[in-house]
Amino acid sequence: MITDIMVRVAIAMLIFVPLEHVLPRKRDKRILRKFWTLDAVYALAGGVLNIAGSTVVIILGLVLLQPLIPAALKEMVAQQPLILQAIEVMILADLGYYAIHRLFHTVPFLWQFHAIHHSIEEMDWLAAHRVHPVDQILTRGASMILPLALGFSTAAIGIFVFIFGWHSYLKHSNVNVNFGPLRWIFVSPAFHHWHHANEPHAFDKNFAGQFSFLDRLFGTALMTDPVTPRVYGTDTPVPDGFVSQLVAPLKGLGSDQTTVPASTVPDAQNPA
């Protein structure tokens, strides 16, 4: 498992480091920027935790959900062409992703986990890995349980997993890629960077993982390409270290925690 993760990260580095140098969105970006070692730890140690935890959540979800799915529906799904299955899996998975992602922004306790990801202040491909395991595990579970329960083929789900993984690198990367008219369908780096902006008009926008039309459908889209955010991050206090970040949200368990996302505070101010 760890070897596969290391290979994938190495390949991503070979692809995106040159791209971010040749086609940068922000030209003052350094390769070895602040907290790159923290994100490297998330890529390796966090990756193992995420895979193990997601597997458990998905299995538990399938035990509960599969008996409710009619066999005839599963058979109909399985008989579809692979390309159609793959498209349906991506849409279903992104609907699940959108829903749980939005909950992580609106439920105060869940935000404490998601704030780790929003503590990113310099966007690049490696920053895609800075996600608390609880956040990643629940999000993956919400994305995958329904497609698996409906009986989509392993190949169709594999196509989704492959595309989602590399798309995640791209949308976080410091690469100036313009999707043109397709930006109204697919999440571009410009679209997702605004989700990470610490600017009031961008709070709670652009939740979708792959399909930007979902945000347009649910009224949460912010399209400002080619303008880029002035500042990224969150006003929610987040510790710097890997272990500290893993433990910090758990300290709220059983307490009368009232911390809420900065986006819900009317007078939240941006850093200078």
Side-chain angles (χ1 to χ4, degrees):
M1 182 186 298
I2 188 67
T3 301
D4 293 340
I5 293 172
M6 291 177 67
V7 169
R8 187 185 67 206
V9 172
I11 294 173
M13 180 177 66
L14 292 174
I15 294 172
F16 285 100
V17 169
L19 279 177
E20 290 183 337
H21 178 73
V22 175
L23 298 170
R25 286 189 63 79
K26 291 201 170 185
R27 298 184 179 277
D28 58 349
K29 174 77 175 54
R30 299 167 297 167
I31 295 176
L32 298 180
R33 44 82 174 167
K34 187 179 180 182
F35 295 124
W36 74 268
T37 53
L38 170 64
D39 295 335
V41 172
Y42 268 104
L44 301 177
V48 174
L49 292 173
N50 295 337
I51 292 172
S54 298
T55 301
V56 173
V57 169
I58 290 170
I59 290 173
L60 291 175
L62 289 177
V63 169
L64 296 174
L65 187 59
Q66 272 190 328
L68 305 178
I69 308 295
L73 178 57
K74 295 180 185 179
E75 184 178 350
M76 182 180 69
V77 167
Q79 289 177 348
Q80 296 179 110
L82 176 60
I83 186 63
L84 183 57
Q85 287 194 48
I87 292 171
E88 290 171 351
V89 168
M90 286 189 284
I91 294 174
L92 282 173
D94 212 28
L95 280 168
Y97 180 97
Y98 179 97
I100 192 70
H101 191 182
R102 194 162 179 174
L103 279 176
F104 268 100
H105 276 256
T106 55
V107 177
F109 178 64
L110 291 179
W111 169 254
Q112 299 307 309
F113 295 97
H114 194 57
I116 305 301
H117 187 55
H118 278 268
S119 68
I120 299 167
E121 295 181 348
E122 295 183 69
M123 298 292 288
D124 64 9
W125 68 276
L126 186 58
H129 285 287
R130 193 190 303 179
V131 185
H132 193 285
V134 171
D135 184 348
Q136 188 81 292
I137 289 165
L138 293 179
T139 302
R140 283 188 179 183
S143 299
M144 296 308 304
I145 289 173
L146 186 56
L148 286 167
L150 286 170
F152 284 96
S153 70
T154 302
I157 291 174
I159 290 171
F160 159 72
V161 171
F162 177 83
I163 293 175
F164 183 87
W166 289 100
H167 187 196
S168 183
Y169 281 127
L170 176 62
K171 72 187 182 186
H172 287 91
S173 69
N174 184 42
V175 176
N176 190 23
V177 176
N178 186 351
F179 283 13
L182 292 178
R183 73 186 186 279
W184 299 104
I185 300 174
F186 301 107
V187 171
S188 67
F191 186 86
H192 191 66
H193 280 212
W194 276 107
H195 178 71
H196 283 268
N198 194 9
E199 302 181 25
H201 73 285
F203 291 154
D204 296 337
K205 301 292 184 181
N206 300 359
F207 291 111
Q210 289 186 286
F211 296 112
S212 57
F213 70 79
L214 293 181
D215 280 286
R216 289 181 56 79
L217 178 64
F218 296 116
T220 53
L222 177 64
M223 290 286 194
T224 57
D225 193 24
V227 178
T228 58
R230 291 185 301 104
V231 61
Y232 300 102
T234 177
D235 294 330
T236 300
V238 175
D240 292 339
F242 177 69
V243 175
S244 298
Q245 289 187 359
L246 292 185
V247 174
L250 300 174
K251 291 180 179 178
L253 282 171
S255 69
D256 294 329
Q257 188 170 323
T258 58
T259 304
V260 295
S263 56
T264 66
V265 182
D267 61 346
Q269 299 295 314
N270 289 319

